[in-house]
């Protein structure tokens, strides 16, 4: 395995990581903004008011998108394992 192949593999892994985490991060951002507006309007400053909705929304987004996340993750994993086998020969 040469440096170019290893670099391509790392770039693909980082791109996949960004792609897989984007829906959860965007959902958390939107819920955080909504909760922030709600807290500013009602002057409620409890930390759990901000944390609990984000937790539930991120969990729901991850559960809803698990099928779309599984295929690319398994493809990259099998590609990495094939590369390991090639290096071991």
């Amino acid at each position: 395995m040469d440096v170019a192949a290893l670099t391509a593999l790392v770039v693909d892994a980082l791109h996949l990581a960004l792609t897989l985490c984007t829906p959860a991060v965007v959902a958390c951002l939107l819920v955080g903004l909504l909760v922030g507006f709600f807290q500013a309007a009602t002057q409620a400053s409890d930390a759990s008011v901000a944390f609990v909705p984000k937790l539930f929304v991120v969990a729901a987004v991850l559960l809803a998108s698990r099928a779309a996340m599984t295929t690319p993750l398994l493809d990259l994993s099998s590609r990495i394992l094939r590369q390991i086998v090639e290096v071991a020969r």
Side-chain angles (χ1 to χ4, degrees):
M1 175 181 258
D2 59 342
V3 176
L6 184 61
T7 303
L9 195 62
V10 170
V11 167
D12 288 345
L14 290 174
H15 183 263
L16 180 64
L18 285 173
T19 303
L20 294 181
C21 76
T22 299
V25 170
V26 169
C28 188
L29 174 70
L30 293 176
V31 169
L33 284 172
L34 291 174
V35 168
F37 288 143
F38 174 75
Q39 284 181 330
T42 62
Q43 296 180 355
S45 62
D46 189 18
S48 64
V49 172
F51 179 73
V52 173
K54 289 182 199 174
L55 178 70
F56 286 130
V57 168
V58 169
V61 167
L62 290 176
L63 284 174
S65 62
R66 70 177 182 256
M69 291 181 179
T70 303
T71 304
L73 193 57
L74 289 176
D75 290 343
L76 182 67
S77 298
S78 65
R79 188 171 143 207
I80 290 172
L81 290 174
R82 280 193 305 259
Q83 293 289 334
I84 290 172
V85 169
E86 286 181 16
V87 169
R89 288 186 187 174

